[in-house]
Amino acid sequence: MSAYTHDLVIIGAGPAGMSAAVTARQQGLSVVVLDEQPRPGGQVYRDVTKASPAVARLLGPAYRYGNALARRYADSGAEVRPGSLVWDIAQDLTVTAQQANLSFSVRAPQLLIASGAMEHPSPLPGWTLPGVMNAGAAQIAMKTSASIPDGRAVLVGGGPLLLLVACQLLRAGGRIAGIVDTMPAGNRGAALPHLPAALGAPAMLAKGLGMLGTLWRAGVPVFRRAEDVRMEEADGSRRVGAVSFSSEGRRQRLDADVVLLHHGVVPNTQITRLLRVAHQWSDSQGCWHPAVDAWGETSLPGCRVAGDGAAIAGALAAEASGAIAALGAAVAVGRLETGKAATLAGPWRARLSRQSRIRPFLDALYRPPAWLIDCADDTLVCRCEEVTAGQVREMARLGCQGPNQTKFFSRCGMGPCQGRMCGLTVTQILARSVGRDPADVGAYRIRAPLKPVTLGSVAALAEPDRITLPPAG
Amino acid sequence: MFKPIDSRAARQLPTVAIHIDGRAVRVAAGQPLATALLAEDALPLRYTAVSGAPRAPLCLMGVCFECLVEVDGRRNVQSCMVEVREGMQVRRLNGAPRAGGMV
């Protein structure tokens, strides 16, 4: 066990991580923030400190809001280590990361994981073709390089982010050839009972209706209740050329230069799985989330999770849960008394509950279609090792009980992405095949290194005093 | 496959020279390598080691590992996780390396 280097280690500089750093510093904690990106913001506020005024205007006020938070974060006095790839965390909360290809360790009695969300995988035939991307990727391109798809874009799936990206692309001068809406007919009925609660968040509902209005006024064709969606290669081009699908009983085909997929966002649980903390399965969102208490603490004492990495609730909620987790950490290290923490957390909890009101409605309305899991046997599920849904089902027939066994049978989940892209799909296909609950089937066991690192980088750990890290950002 | 939102504004931005499979191109500075490769239409970025299938970026946020390229002699670098630098040597990947050199 190594000595403590800080009071609090934070992983991730999105809204939750930045907010936690600001709050923890206000309580006098020494804080280090490890973030993979060169600049703060996470994905939602990606490059908000750098984006040109024109791009920031185009992305809208919810994006620009991140600038003020990033400024408070920069002024917070937290030690900031941008470009840091966390690749191992021990049970004693020693965090090992790599910056500039050299590994180093930090350790604190309190660890906050704010590693955010990722897009739900969309395993569809042809989804590995160049030109097929996640919808979030198109938004990241706008934020990081002020660029948009050249030519006709077709969006496939459903959810608030899909609508937002469509509207932002239109505003940026992009061409949208169509939206292939995969939400099943039953979703609306299932969402209806949650509408009264959602009416308690009128601004968010109005924003959603506003986006639908924008798309309607722009004349973007929307194909509802789409099924059997396939991406087709443009002859001999080695890239996507069209999307074909059935919509309301009719077969359709749309020419496309870029296809953008989206079936909601899910917590990125790679780090919490590495730490073996307790996770719960959410049936409505088709994903895992780490179990946390009211102060963000997991089943491992001292280890907290905040933001969309704990539960999908958006950037404003992430800012709140980050602050609450930091207050919990301040109490735990004896810098804040419990009563004071409860008072300080009050306004943040009020914001959390406001932001959460609309979630059951959105979860039901945009629940990914069951056919995404019951996909055709020839659909690639594990993109890295090129394992199909049919092979996963065959493994289940042969007696494979869980995702870790599929690794032995087929290398499924053992490629470069280490199961990030296929984990949820494999768990659900196995659950369906063996007639058990996904919670019983379980998830891939995640091990260090979380991302590939070189032996030279690891060797730097042996002589930590000789490392001169780049200056903290 | 990608283009600037505002090409006139883009022409005013500082650029760096990178080399894609030996071909020198000027790209906007301060962006991830992956978006520069998308703007240069340098697709596919690689052919898989399993079946030789063509691949290109999917997530642009470090999750999918589809955008792997060789950067300055280091293989399997996530091009969405490094920024373009002056003189950067980028090579697209063709399957797995074999004993005795590249395929």
Side-chain angles (χ1 to χ4, degrees), chain A residues 36-39 43 46 50 58 101 117-118 128 130-134 137 140-141 144-150 172 238-239 258 380 383-384 386 416-417 420-421 451-452, chain B residues 1-6 29-32 35 38 41 43-44 47-66 68 74 78 80-81 83:
Chain A
E36 230 178 331
Q37 298 296 337
R39 287 170 289 275
Q43 299 308 328
R46 184 93 182 256
K50 189 204 84 168
L58 184 154
N101 294 320
M118 52 180 257
T128 55
V132 180
M133 306 175 78
N134 285 340
I140 291 170
T144 59
S145 60
S147 65
I148 53 171
D150 192 1
R238 288 173 297 203
R239 63 178 70 186
V258 173
L380 272 191
R383 299 170 59 107
C384 299
E386 303 185 38
C417 92
R420 289 169 174 87
M421 294 306 300
K451 284 191 176 183
Chain B
M1 210 180 77
F2 272 61
K3 63 176 183 183
I5 293 171
D6 180 344
Q31 66 172 322
T35 57
L38 285 169
D41 213 11
L43 303 186
Y47 293 96
T48 64
V50 177
S51 74
R55 293 292 171 86
L58 176 77
C59 78
L60 291 185
M61 53 179 280
V63 173
C64 75
F65 284 73
E66 292 290 8
L68 301 177
R74 280 183 60 207
Q78 290 183 289
C80 71
M81 299 301 292
E83 295 215 338

Side-chain angles (χ1 to χ4, degrees), chain A residues 427-446:
Chain A
T427 288
Q428 290 180 87
I429 289 180
L430 285 175
R432 278 272 230 271
S433 302
V434 300
R436 288 165 61 199
D437 196 72
D440 298 332
V441 168
Y444 288 138
R445 197 163 294 121
I446 302 303

Side-chain angles (χ1 to χ4, degrees), chain A residues 367-392:
Chain A
R367 182 180 181 152
W371 55 257
L372 208 56
I373 300 307
D374 297 327
C375 54
D377 274 347
D378 64 347
T379 312
L380 272 191
V381 166
C382 168
R383 299 170 59 107
C384 299
E385 294 294 333
E386 303 185 38
V387 179
T388 64
Q391 284 171 278
V392 176

